[in-house]
Amino acid sequence: MGPTNENHLSWDLALLYAGLDDPRWAADLERARERGKSFHHDFRGRARSENLSAELLAAALRSYEALQKTGLKPYLYAQLLFAGDSSPDAHKALLARAREAWSALAEETLFFELELLAIDEERMAVLLRDPEVAPYAHYLQQLRVHAPYTLSEEVEQALKRKDLSGKEAFVQLFEELTSSLTFTFRLPAEEAPREMTGEELLALLYHPDAEVREGAFSTFLKLYADNALVLTSCFNNLLLDHAKEVELRRYPDLMTPTHLANETDAAMVERLMEVTESNYGLAREYFDLKRRLLKLPLMKNTDLYAPLGTESRYYPFAEARETVLAAFRGFSPQMAKTAEAFFSERRLDVLPRPGKSGGAFCQGMLPGLPPYVLLNYTGTLRDVATLAHELGHGVHFALSQGQNLFHYQAPLPFAETASVFGEMLLTRYLLDREVDRQAKIALLCSKLEDIIATTFRQNVLTRFELAAHRRRAEGLLAPDHLCALWWEENGKLFGNAVEMIEPYRWGWSYISHFIHARFYCYSYVFGELLVLALYQKYKEEGSGFVPKYLELLSRGGSRKPADLLAPLGIDLADPNFWQKGYDFVGGLLRELRELVEGEGEMSERS
Ligand SMILES: [Zn+2]
């Protein structure tokens, strides 16, 4: 590979601006500022007025969209430049300038959404029927979804101020305490114990030695147990704070605020969780197969992520690209063509380098501006999957380019649909072509472990969180109460297939989702299962499914999830739909079991 080749692996931002000194960059920011000023001048106070016409509202919405697009382009450019290389001062300065301009613009136009919130329900219903306003309907409805539970401005302000020393103080305390913890642990290859961070200890759950895995996780959990007083206090207060908030705002249920944000509803989510629980047996079946692969007499919960000892090979990037594109092509040539454009237009930054941002992402940009992808490709199978994941996002954004800015991004529960679907296409493609039995087993195990972590485990977390909230309503929780609730919910999943190590009683105490957001975890179950069920539908319907799926992606976030899925004949309230996702998991398990048992025969014969 010569330097020219290397060069083609970095992205080309000239599609946006010629470079750092392109005068169009500053000119765009200035234009956005002017548009913000005239928007303020033209519309301030007018949405609130009694005689707001549909014509005026439509004009305001269009200007609001246009000025945001004008301001976003230079901002996104500065972000990409910085992500590609954060070291030059000029990149930092450009990003800071864009950020300041954007926040000034947001301040100038903040009144608009507040005024939209204040329009009463009946009036809004009339306005939404207007053909000029209707294209913005979903945005307006979603913006106003919390309105019935919003208190007077004075009360809202007071609550916000008191949150600083209330809810936010406990979040802060949790963060400060847990990030200050250092652990002492001795690795078998080393003479003396050494200090480690929590992250480093948890990474040892992937260590080949069972004793190291158990020792590391026990060390981790024991230090959390030592801090039970503070951790339990954080949980108790955040649980109580949420109960008070639900009471003050008169939400019908503890989970309502989350459902509103996710555009889901209580009945649908309850169905989803029940179907998940009725399939816990699939997880136990997997754990047992894994136990056999690891040749362990007994599976502990510290063995769940134990490596199988099959090293994955190196994938040159050219091969990764061809593999992912071929997997996409097998599903839909249009999908492959859309993904190919990332390479031909150089909207992909591939290799790690100093100063470049870590991880991987797809920056969706805006309607009218094609998306970009950043990777840190090192040639592992995981990296190939990441390419499929980010290109899945990329295809989603490319297909929804016809939506307005507010409907461009997929709604929250759909945020990972196209990406995980892309990974699924890749897994299937690889499984169908892989001839090495060990490699096939490794592929299936890693897919199944991903699925178990995002469905069954997140369901356990949600059930625990619900139980803790309910139990808190009866009074202050002691650490033992939380431990018992956690043990009980996990026991339902693991059954007799997995023995939980004793310190795992404290497993609840380090999960920051419980601290940062209420009931966040079921969104993972929803998102993952949606993809699995869609994939199962594809298996059943074949090519007839493809145009419907692409149409779904092209609708971006223009409707509620349930409405987006209706044209595919999917009813989210129907438990049979969710069961499809687990039928697909059952299929993967059967495939794995045949390989594992076939292997047994092989070794007996040889
Ligand atoms: Zn993603």
Side-chain angles (χ1 to χ4, degrees), residues 57 61 64 110-119 121 124 136-148 150 260 263 406-407:
L57 177 59
L61 285 163
Y64 188 54
L110 177 69
F111 73 91
F112 185 57
E113 293 200 340
L114 294 175
E115 289 186 22
L116 290 176
L117 280 176
I119 301 173
E121 208 52 51
M124 191 45 114
Y136 295 97
H138 184 63
Y139 159 68
L140 291 169
Q141 283 156 346
Q142 196 49 28
L143 183 70
R144 291 163 50 87
V145 87
H146 291 280
T150 306
L260 289 175
E263 305 182 54
F406 311 116
H407 294 167

PDB file of all heavy atoms in Angstrom, residues 57 61 64 110-119 121 124 136-148 150 260 263 406-407:
ATOM      1  N   LEU A  57     -47.749  30.381  10.871  1.00  0.00           N
ATOM      2  CA  LEU A  57     -47.037  29.296  11.548  1.00  0.00           C
ATOM      3  C   LEU A  57     -46.158  28.531  10.559  1.00  0.00           C
ATOM      4  O   LEU A  57     -44.992  28.239  10.839  1.00  0.00           O
ATOM      5  CB  LEU A  57     -48.038  28.344  12.229  1.00  0.00           C
ATOM      6  CG  LEU A  57     -47.412  27.118  12.920  1.00  0.00           C
ATOM      7  CD1 LEU A  57     -46.422  27.525  14.005  1.00  0.00           C
ATOM      8  CD2 LEU A  57     -48.484  26.202  13.519  1.00  0.00           C
ATOM      9  N   LEU A  61     -42.155  28.137  10.693  1.00  0.00           N
ATOM     10  CA  LEU A  61     -41.499  26.824  10.720  1.00  0.00           C
ATOM     11  C   LEU A  61     -40.462  26.716   9.604  1.00  0.00           C
ATOM     12  O   LEU A  61     -39.358  26.211   9.814  1.00  0.00           O
ATOM     13  CB  LEU A  61     -42.537  25.706  10.583  1.00  0.00           C
ATOM     14  CG  LEU A  61     -43.377  25.449  11.841  1.00  0.00           C
ATOM     15  CD1 LEU A  61     -44.643  24.649  11.503  1.00  0.00           C
ATOM     16  CD2 LEU A  61     -42.554  24.697  12.890  1.00  0.00           C
ATOM     17  N   TYR A  64     -37.489  28.852  10.526  1.00  0.00           N
ATOM     18  CA  TYR A  64     -36.786  28.231  11.643  1.00  0.00           C
ATOM     19  C   TYR A  64     -35.912  27.090  11.135  1.00  0.00           C
ATOM     20  O   TYR A  64     -34.745  26.946  11.520  1.00  0.00           O
ATOM     21  CB  TYR A  64     -37.824  27.720  12.639  1.00  0.00           C
ATOM     22  CG  TYR A  64     -37.274  27.202  13.950  1.00  0.00           C
ATOM     23  CD1 TYR A  64     -36.443  27.984  14.744  1.00  0.00           C
ATOM     24  CD2 TYR A  64     -37.641  25.937  14.415  1.00  0.00           C
ATOM     25  CE1 TYR A  64     -35.961  27.503  15.959  1.00  0.00           C
ATOM     26  CE2 TYR A  64     -37.177  25.463  15.633  1.00  0.00           C
ATOM     27  CZ  TYR A  64     -36.323  26.244  16.400  1.00  0.00           C
ATOM     28  OH  TYR A  64     -35.869  25.763  17.595  1.00  0.00           O
ATOM     29  N   LEU A 110     -34.870  30.685  20.943  1.00  0.00           N
ATOM     30  CA  LEU A 110     -35.449  29.833  21.991  1.00  0.00           C
ATOM     31  C   LEU A 110     -36.943  30.091  22.202  1.00  0.00           C
ATOM     32  O   LEU A 110     -37.724  29.178  22.469  1.00  0.00           O
ATOM     33  CB  LEU A 110     -34.692  30.068  23.306  1.00  0.00           C
ATOM     34  CG  LEU A 110     -35.203  29.323  24.541  1.00  0.00           C
ATOM     35  CD1 LEU A 110     -34.928  27.830  24.400  1.00  0.00           C
ATOM     36  CD2 LEU A 110     -34.536  29.849  25.803  1.00  0.00           C
ATOM     37  N   PHE A 111     -37.337  31.365  22.049  1.00  0.00           N
ATOM     38  CA  PHE A 111     -38.733  31.748  22.293  1.00  0.00           C
ATOM     39  C   PHE A 111     -39.704  30.900  21.470  1.00  0.00           C
ATOM     40  O   PHE A 111     -40.807  30.604  21.889  1.00  0.00           O
ATOM     41  CB  PHE A 111     -38.933  33.237  21.945  1.00  0.00           C
ATOM     42  CG  PHE A 111     -38.924  33.503  20.456  1.00  0.00           C
ATOM     43  CD1 PHE A 111     -40.102  33.472  19.722  1.00  0.00           C
ATOM     44  CD2 PHE A 111     -37.734  33.767  19.782  1.00  0.00           C
ATOM     45  CE1 PHE A 111     -40.096  33.690  18.351  1.00  0.00           C
ATOM     46  CE2 PHE A 111     -37.723  33.991  18.415  1.00  0.00           C
ATOM     47  CZ  PHE A 111     -38.908  33.943  17.702  1.00  0.00           C
ATOM     48  N   PHE A 112     -39.251  30.493  20.272  1.00  0.00           N
ATOM     49  CA  PHE A 112     -40.179  29.891  19.319  1.00  0.00           C
ATOM     50  C   PHE A 112     -40.771  28.580  19.841  1.00  0.00           C
ATOM     51  O   PHE A 112     -41.993  28.407  19.858  1.00  0.00           O
ATOM     52  CB  PHE A 112     -39.483  29.689  17.970  1.00  0.00           C
ATOM     53  CG  PHE A 112     -40.397  29.191  16.891  1.00  0.00           C
ATOM     54  CD1 PHE A 112     -41.549  29.890  16.549  1.00  0.00           C
ATOM     55  CD2 PHE A 112     -40.116  28.005  16.209  1.00  0.00           C
ATOM     56  CE1 PHE A 112     -42.404  29.431  15.545  1.00  0.00           C
ATOM     57  CE2 PHE A 112     -40.961  27.540  15.217  1.00  0.00           C
ATOM     58  CZ  PHE A 112     -42.103  28.247  14.876  1.00  0.00           C
ATOM     59  N   GLU A 113     -39.901  27.676  20.280  1.00  0.00           N
ATOM     60  CA  GLU A 113     -40.417  26.391  20.766  1.00  0.00           C
ATOM     61  C   GLU A 113     -41.254  26.585  22.035  1.00  0.00           C
ATOM     62  O   GLU A 113     -42.238  25.887  22.232  1.00  0.00           O
ATOM     63  CB  GLU A 113     -39.273  25.383  20.980  1.00  0.00           C
ATOM     64  CG  GLU A 113     -38.639  24.987  19.645  1.00  0.00           C
ATOM     65  CD  GLU A 113     -37.853  23.681  19.662  1.00  0.00           C
ATOM     66  OE1 GLU A 113     -37.463  23.234  20.748  1.00  0.00           O
ATOM     67  OE2 GLU A 113     -37.632  23.128  18.563  1.00  0.00           O
ATOM     68  N   LEU A 114     -40.869  27.553  22.868  1.00  0.00           N
ATOM     69  CA  LEU A 114     -41.665  27.817  24.071  1.00  0.00           C
ATOM     70  C   LEU A 114     -43.061  28.311  23.687  1.00  0.00           C
ATOM     71  O   LEU A 114     -44.055  27.920  24.286  1.00  0.00           O
ATOM     72  CB  LEU A 114     -40.966  28.844  24.964  1.00  0.00           C
ATOM     73  CG  LEU A 114     -39.639  28.389  25.571  1.00  0.00           C
ATOM     74  CD1 LEU A 114     -38.966  29.527  26.329  1.00  0.00           C
ATOM     75  CD2 LEU A 114     -39.855  27.179  26.489  1.00  0.00           C
ATOM     76  N   GLU A 115     -43.113  29.156  22.659  1.00  0.00           N
ATOM     77  CA  GLU A 115     -44.422  29.638  22.214  1.00  0.00           C
ATOM     78  C   GLU A 115     -45.243  28.508  21.590  1.00  0.00           C
ATOM     79  O   GLU A 115     -46.461  28.451  21.747  1.00  0.00           O
ATOM     80  CB  GLU A 115     -44.255  30.793  21.221  1.00  0.00           C
ATOM     81  CG  GLU A 115     -43.759  32.062  21.914  1.00  0.00           C
ATOM     82  CD  GLU A 115     -43.727  33.280  20.983  1.00  0.00           C
ATOM     83  OE1 GLU A 115     -44.439  33.281  19.971  1.00  0.00           O
ATOM     84  OE2 GLU A 115     -42.968  34.218  21.295  1.00  0.00           O
ATOM     85  N   LEU A 116     -44.550  27.623  20.884  1.00  0.00           N
ATOM     86  CA  LEU A 116     -45.262  26.476  20.291  1.00  0.00           C
ATOM     87  C   LEU A 116     -45.882  25.606  21.381  1.00  0.00           C
ATOM     88  O   LEU A 116     -46.984  25.090  21.237  1.00  0.00           O
ATOM     89  CB  LEU A 116     -44.309  25.617  19.451  1.00  0.00           C
ATOM     90  CG  LEU A 116     -43.794  26.227  18.147  1.00  0.00           C
ATOM     91  CD1 LEU A 116     -42.779  25.291  17.493  1.00  0.00           C
ATOM     92  CD2 LEU A 116     -44.933  26.522  17.181  1.00  0.00           C
ATOM     93  N   LEU A 117     -45.156  25.503  22.506  1.00  0.00           N
ATOM     94  CA  LEU A 117     -45.656  24.707  23.629  1.00  0.00           C
ATOM     95  C   LEU A 117     -46.910  25.328  24.234  1.00  0.00           C
ATOM     96  O   LEU A 117     -47.763  24.625  24.762  1.00  0.00           O
ATOM     97  CB  LEU A 117     -44.581  24.606  24.716  1.00  0.00           C
ATOM     98  CG  LEU A 117     -43.475  23.595  24.499  1.00  0.00           C
ATOM     99  CD1 LEU A 117     -42.456  23.699  25.626  1.00  0.00           C
ATOM    100  CD2 LEU A 117     -44.051  22.196  24.442  1.00  0.00           C
ATOM    101  N   ALA A 118     -46.989  26.641  24.135  1.00  0.00           N
ATOM    102  CA  ALA A 118     -48.078  27.342  24.820  1.00  0.00           C
ATOM    103  C   ALA A 118     -49.386  27.342  24.014  1.00  0.00           C
ATOM    104  O   ALA A 118     -50.433  27.694  24.541  1.00  0.00           O
ATOM    105  CB  ALA A 118     -47.649  28.774  25.141  1.00  0.00           C
ATOM    106  N   ILE A 119     -49.319  26.956  22.741  1.00  0.00           N
ATOM    107  CA  ILE A 119     -50.545  26.935  21.937  1.00  0.00           C
ATOM    108  C   ILE A 119     -51.472  25.854  22.484  1.00  0.00           C
ATOM    109  O   ILE A 119     -51.034  24.732  22.727  1.00  0.00           O
ATOM    110  CB  ILE A 119     -50.226  26.629  20.448  1.00  0.00           C
ATOM    111  CG1 ILE A 119     -49.277  27.680  19.885  1.00  0.00           C
ATOM    112  CG2 ILE A 119     -51.509  26.551  19.615  1.00  0.00           C
ATOM    113  CD1 ILE A 119     -48.773  27.377  18.492  1.00  0.00           C
ATOM    114  N   GLU A 121     -54.357  22.951  22.922  1.00  0.00           N
ATOM    115  CA  GLU A 121     -54.523  21.689  22.184  1.00  0.00           C
ATOM    116  C   GLU A 121     -55.506  21.809  21.017  1.00  0.00           C
ATOM    117  O   GLU A 121     -55.211  21.387  19.902  1.00  0.00           O
ATOM    118  CB  GLU A 121     -54.982  20.626  23.195  1.00  0.00           C
ATOM    119  CG  GLU A 121     -54.596  19.210  22.859  1.00  0.00           C
ATOM    120  CD  GLU A 121     -53.107  19.041  22.563  1.00  0.00           C
ATOM    121  OE1 GLU A 121     -52.262  19.494  23.367  1.00  0.00           O
ATOM    122  OE2 GLU A 121     -52.808  18.476  21.499  1.00  0.00           O
ATOM    123  N   MET A 124     -54.168  23.872  18.162  1.00  0.00           N
ATOM    124  CA  MET A 124     -53.112  23.151  17.470  1.00  0.00           C
ATOM    125  C   MET A 124     -53.713  22.128  16.525  1.00  0.00           C
ATOM    126  O   MET A 124     -53.260  21.966  15.395  1.00  0.00           O
ATOM    127  CB  MET A 124     -52.192  22.487  18.499  1.00  0.00           C
ATOM    128  CG  MET A 124     -50.917  21.927  17.919  1.00  0.00           C
ATOM    129  SD  MET A 124     -50.068  23.031  16.763  1.00  0.00           S
ATOM    130  CE  MET A 124     -48.586  23.392  17.599  1.00  0.00           C
ATOM    131  N   TYR A 136     -44.962  19.337   9.156  1.00  0.00           N
ATOM    132  CA  TYR A 136     -44.190  19.456  10.402  1.00  0.00           C
ATOM    133  C   TYR A 136     -44.925  18.803  11.578  1.00  0.00           C
ATOM    134  O   TYR A 136     -44.545  18.991  12.740  1.00  0.00           O
ATOM    135  CB  TYR A 136     -43.939  20.937  10.722  1.00  0.00           C
ATOM    136  CG  TYR A 136     -43.059  21.630   9.700  1.00  0.00           C
ATOM    137  CD1 TYR A 136     -43.607  22.374   8.657  1.00  0.00           C
ATOM    138  CD2 TYR A 136     -41.670  21.522   9.789  1.00  0.00           C
ATOM    139  CE1 TYR A 136     -42.792  22.989   7.716  1.00  0.00           C
ATOM    140  CE2 TYR A 136     -40.861  22.141   8.850  1.00  0.00           C
ATOM    141  CZ  TYR A 136     -41.426  22.870   7.814  1.00  0.00           C
ATOM    142  OH  TYR A 136     -40.610  23.476   6.895  1.00  0.00           O
ATOM    143  N   ALA A 137     -46.006  18.082  11.270  1.00  0.00           N
ATOM    144  CA  ALA A 137     -46.905  17.613  12.330  1.00  0.00           C
ATOM    145  C   ALA A 137     -46.192  16.784  13.403  1.00  0.00           C
ATOM    146  O   ALA A 137     -46.360  17.039  14.595  1.00  0.00           O
ATOM    147  CB  ALA A 137     -48.044  16.804  11.724  1.00  0.00           C
ATOM    148  N   HIS A 138     -45.399  15.835  12.980  1.00  0.00           N
ATOM    149  CA  HIS A 138     -44.806  14.959  13.991  1.00  0.00           C
ATOM    150  C   HIS A 138     -43.867  15.725  14.917  1.00  0.00           C
ATOM    151  O   HIS A 138     -43.859  15.518  16.130  1.00  0.00           O
ATOM    152  CB  HIS A 138     -44.070  13.791  13.348  1.00  0.00           C
ATOM    153  CG  HIS A 138     -43.540  12.836  14.367  1.00  0.00           C
ATOM    154  ND1 HIS A 138     -44.350  12.135  15.222  1.00  0.00           N
ATOM    155  CD2 HIS A 138     -42.278  12.506  14.719  1.00  0.00           C
ATOM    156  CE1 HIS A 138     -43.623  11.407  16.027  1.00  0.00           C
ATOM    157  NE2 HIS A 138     -42.350  11.609  15.754  1.00  0.00           N
ATOM    158  N   TYR A 139     -43.100  16.618  14.334  1.00  0.00           N
ATOM    159  CA  TYR A 139     -42.203  17.465  15.145  1.00  0.00           C
ATOM    160  C   TYR A 139     -43.009  18.241  16.186  1.00  0.00           C
ATOM    161  O   TYR A 139     -42.662  18.275  17.371  1.00  0.00           O
ATOM    162  CB  TYR A 139     -41.425  18.408  14.219  1.00  0.00           C
ATOM    163  CG  TYR A 139     -40.870  19.636  14.880  1.00  0.00           C
ATOM    164  CD1 TYR A 139     -39.835  19.530  15.813  1.00  0.00           C
ATOM    165  CD2 TYR A 139     -41.383  20.905  14.588  1.00  0.00           C
ATOM    166  CE1 TYR A 139     -39.328  20.663  16.438  1.00  0.00           C
ATOM    167  CE2 TYR A 139     -40.873  22.033  15.200  1.00  0.00           C
ATOM    168  CZ  TYR A 139     -39.855  21.914  16.127  1.00  0.00           C
ATOM    169  OH  TYR A 139     -39.360  23.021  16.742  1.00  0.00           O
ATOM    170  N   LEU A 140     -44.090  18.860  15.741  1.00  0.00           N
ATOM    171  CA  LEU A 140     -44.899  19.664  16.662  1.00  0.00           C
ATOM    172  C   LEU A 140     -45.517  18.799  17.755  1.00  0.00           C
ATOM    173  O   LEU A 140     -45.514  19.178  18.930  1.00  0.00           O
ATOM    174  CB  LEU A 140     -46.002  20.402  15.877  1.00  0.00           C
ATOM    175  CG  LEU A 140     -45.488  21.512  14.947  1.00  0.00           C
ATOM    176  CD1 LEU A 140     -46.599  22.005  14.031  1.00  0.00           C
ATOM    177  CD2 LEU A 140     -44.920  22.682  15.760  1.00  0.00           C
ATOM    178  N   GLN A 141     -46.017  17.636  17.367  1.00  0.00           N
ATOM    179  CA  GLN A 141     -46.650  16.771  18.370  1.00  0.00           C
ATOM    180  C   GLN A 141     -45.638  16.269  19.391  1.00  0.00           C
ATOM    181  O   GLN A 141     -45.908  16.255  20.588  1.00  0.00           O
ATOM    182  CB  GLN A 141     -47.345  15.589  17.677  1.00  0.00           C
ATOM    183  CG  GLN A 141     -48.660  16.011  17.048  1.00  0.00           C
ATOM    184  CD  GLN A 141     -49.080  15.094  15.909  1.00  0.00           C
ATOM    185  OE1 GLN A 141     -48.292  14.290  15.413  1.00  0.00           O
ATOM    186  NE2 GLN A 141     -50.326  15.230  15.485  1.00  0.00           N
ATOM    187  N   GLN A 142     -44.475  15.874  18.919  1.00  0.00           N
ATOM    188  CA  GLN A 142     -43.465  15.324  19.831  1.00  0.00           C
ATOM    189  C   GLN A 142     -42.937  16.412  20.772  1.00  0.00           C
ATOM    190  O   GLN A 142     -42.676  16.177  21.936  1.00  0.00           O
ATOM    191  CB  GLN A 142     -42.345  14.654  19.029  1.00  0.00           C
ATOM    192  CG  GLN A 142     -41.433  13.726  19.819  1.00  0.00           C
ATOM    193  CD  GLN A 142     -42.161  12.701  20.692  1.00  0.00           C
ATOM    194  OE1 GLN A 142     -43.277  12.282  20.396  1.00  0.00           O
ATOM    195  NE2 GLN A 142     -41.538  12.319  21.791  1.00  0.00           N
ATOM    196  N   LEU A 143     -42.815  17.635  20.229  1.00  0.00           N
ATOM    197  CA  LEU A 143     -42.362  18.769  21.040  1.00  0.00           C
ATOM    198  C   LEU A 143     -43.340  19.028  22.192  1.00  0.00           C
ATOM    199  O   LEU A 143     -42.940  19.372  23.304  1.00  0.00           O
ATOM    200  CB  LEU A 143     -42.286  20.014  20.136  1.00  0.00           C
ATOM    201  CG  LEU A 143     -41.780  21.302  20.741  1.00  0.00           C
ATOM    202  CD1 LEU A 143     -40.297  21.194  21.039  1.00  0.00           C
ATOM    203  CD2 LEU A 143     -42.027  22.475  19.781  1.00  0.00           C
ATOM    204  N   ARG A 144     -44.618  18.812  21.900  1.00  0.00           N
ATOM    205  CA  ARG A 144     -45.653  19.184  22.868  1.00  0.00           C
ATOM    206  C   ARG A 144     -46.081  18.036  23.768  1.00  0.00           C
ATOM    207  O   ARG A 144     -46.985  18.188  24.591  1.00  0.00           O
ATOM    208  CB  ARG A 144     -46.864  19.734  22.112  1.00  0.00           C
ATOM    209  CG  ARG A 144     -46.576  21.079  21.452  1.00  0.00           C
ATOM    210  CD  ARG A 144     -47.599  21.407  20.384  1.00  0.00           C
ATOM    211  NE  ARG A 144     -48.962  21.252  20.874  1.00  0.00           N
ATOM    212  CZ  ARG A 144     -49.648  22.196  21.504  1.00  0.00           C
ATOM    213  NH1 ARG A 144     -49.093  23.367  21.721  1.00  0.00           N
ATOM    214  NH2 ARG A 144     -50.869  21.974  21.909  1.00  0.00           N
ATOM    215  N   VAL A 145     -45.395  16.903  23.633  1.00  0.00           N
ATOM    216  CA  VAL A 145     -45.870  15.713  24.316  1.00  0.00           C
ATOM    217  C   VAL A 145     -45.818  15.830  25.852  1.00  0.00           C
ATOM    218  O   VAL A 145     -46.631  15.266  26.561  1.00  0.00           O
ATOM    219  CB  VAL A 145     -45.086  14.488  23.749  1.00  0.00           C
ATOM    220  CG1 VAL A 145     -43.810  14.248  24.470  1.00  0.00           C
ATOM    221  CG2 VAL A 145     -45.950  13.283  23.668  1.00  0.00           C
ATOM    222  N   HIS A 146     -44.865  16.617  26.348  1.00  0.00           N
ATOM    223  CA  HIS A 146     -44.777  16.789  27.802  1.00  0.00           C
ATOM    224  C   HIS A 146     -45.624  17.967  28.304  1.00  0.00           C
ATOM    225  O   HIS A 146     -45.720  18.182  29.504  1.00  0.00           O
ATOM    226  CB  HIS A 146     -43.319  16.997  28.239  1.00  0.00           C
ATOM    227  CG  HIS A 146     -42.477  15.778  28.079  1.00  0.00           C
ATOM    228  ND1 HIS A 146     -42.484  14.745  28.986  1.00  0.00           N
ATOM    229  CD2 HIS A 146     -41.622  15.396  27.098  1.00  0.00           C
ATOM    230  CE1 HIS A 146     -41.664  13.786  28.584  1.00  0.00           C
ATOM    231  NE2 HIS A 146     -41.128  14.150  27.438  1.00  0.00           N
ATOM    232  N   ALA A 147     -46.195  18.709  27.347  1.00  0.00           N
ATOM    233  CA  ALA A 147     -46.909  19.932  27.732  1.00  0.00           C
ATOM    234  C   ALA A 147     -47.986  19.711  28.802  1.00  0.00           C
ATOM    235  O   ALA A 147     -48.080  20.488  29.747  1.00  0.00           O
ATOM    236  CB  ALA A 147     -47.491  20.613  26.494  1.00  0.00           C
ATOM    237  N   PRO A 148     -48.799  18.639  28.689  1.00  0.00           N
ATOM    238  CA  PRO A 148     -49.847  18.479  29.717  1.00  0.00           C
ATOM    239  C   PRO A 148     -49.278  18.279  31.131  1.00  0.00           C
ATOM    240  O   PRO A 148     -50.008  18.420  32.104  1.00  0.00           O
ATOM    241  CB  PRO A 148     -50.598  17.212  29.279  1.00  0.00           C
ATOM    242  CG  PRO A 148     -50.198  16.952  27.870  1.00  0.00           C
ATOM    243  CD  PRO A 148     -48.868  17.590  27.664  1.00  0.00           C
ATOM    244  N   THR A 150     -46.459  19.869  32.193  1.00  0.00           N
ATOM    245  CA  THR A 150     -45.575  20.976  32.518  1.00  0.00           C
ATOM    246  C   THR A 150     -46.282  21.897  33.503  1.00  0.00           C
ATOM    247  O   THR A 150     -47.469  22.183  33.347  1.00  0.00           O
ATOM    248  CB  THR A 150     -45.182  21.720  31.227  1.00  0.00           C
ATOM    249  OG1 THR A 150     -44.653  20.764  30.318  1.00  0.00           O
ATOM    250  CG2 THR A 150     -44.128  22.774  31.488  1.00  0.00           C
ATOM    251  N   LEU A 260     -43.179   8.623  26.882  1.00  0.00           N
ATOM    252  CA  LEU A 260     -43.450   9.803  26.047  1.00  0.00           C
ATOM    253  C   LEU A 260     -42.218  10.165  25.223  1.00  0.00           C
ATOM    254  O   LEU A 260     -42.311  10.445  24.032  1.00  0.00           O
ATOM    255  CB  LEU A 260     -43.870  10.994  26.911  1.00  0.00           C
ATOM    256  CG  LEU A 260     -45.262  10.886  27.548  1.00  0.00           C
ATOM    257  CD1 LEU A 260     -45.505  12.071  28.477  1.00  0.00           C
ATOM    258  CD2 LEU A 260     -46.351  10.806  26.492  1.00  0.00           C
ATOM    259  N   GLU A 263     -41.671   7.625  22.489  1.00  0.00           N
ATOM    260  CA  GLU A 263     -42.826   7.438  21.605  1.00  0.00           C
ATOM    261  C   GLU A 263     -43.341   5.997  21.665  1.00  0.00           C
ATOM    262  O   GLU A 263     -43.713   5.412  20.657  1.00  0.00           O
ATOM    263  CB  GLU A 263     -42.485   7.827  20.160  1.00  0.00           C
ATOM    264  CG  GLU A 263     -41.929   9.247  20.060  1.00  0.00           C
ATOM    265  CD  GLU A 263     -41.642   9.650  18.622  1.00  0.00           C
ATOM    266  OE1 GLU A 263     -42.569   9.541  17.798  1.00  0.00           O
ATOM    267  OE2 GLU A 263     -40.518  10.061  18.333  1.00  0.00           O
ATOM    268  N   PHE A 406     -36.416  18.491  10.905  1.00  0.00           N
ATOM    269  CA  PHE A 406     -36.964  18.002  12.172  1.00  0.00           C
ATOM    270  C   PHE A 406     -37.392  16.536  12.090  1.00  0.00           C
ATOM    271  O   PHE A 406     -37.597  15.885  13.104  1.00  0.00           O
ATOM    272  CB  PHE A 406     -38.136  18.869  12.620  1.00  0.00           C
ATOM    273  CG  PHE A 406     -37.823  20.337  12.576  1.00  0.00           C
ATOM    274  CD1 PHE A 406     -38.518  21.189  11.717  1.00  0.00           C
ATOM    275  CD2 PHE A 406     -36.803  20.860  13.351  1.00  0.00           C
ATOM    276  CE1 PHE A 406     -38.206  22.531  11.662  1.00  0.00           C
ATOM    277  CE2 PHE A 406     -36.490  22.208  13.299  1.00  0.00           C
ATOM    278  CZ  PHE A 406     -37.191  23.053  12.449  1.00  0.00           C
ATOM    279  N   HIS A 407     -37.581  16.058  10.869  1.00  0.00           N
ATOM    280  CA  HIS A 407     -37.995  14.662  10.688  1.00  0.00           C
ATOM    281  C   HIS A 407     -36.879  13.815  10.084  1.00  0.00           C
ATOM    282  O   HIS A 407     -37.109  12.710   9.623  1.00  0.00           O
ATOM    283  CB  HIS A 407     -39.224  14.589   9.758  1.00  0.00           C
ATOM    284  CG  HIS A 407     -40.444  15.199  10.346  1.00  0.00           C
ATOM    285  ND1 HIS A 407     -41.566  15.477   9.613  1.00  0.00           N
ATOM    286  CD2 HIS A 407     -40.726  15.587  11.615  1.00  0.00           C
ATOM    287  CE1 HIS A 407     -42.500  16.010  10.397  1.00  0.00           C
ATOM    288  NE2 HIS A 407     -42.002  16.089  11.619  1.00  0.00           N
TER     289      HIS A 407
END
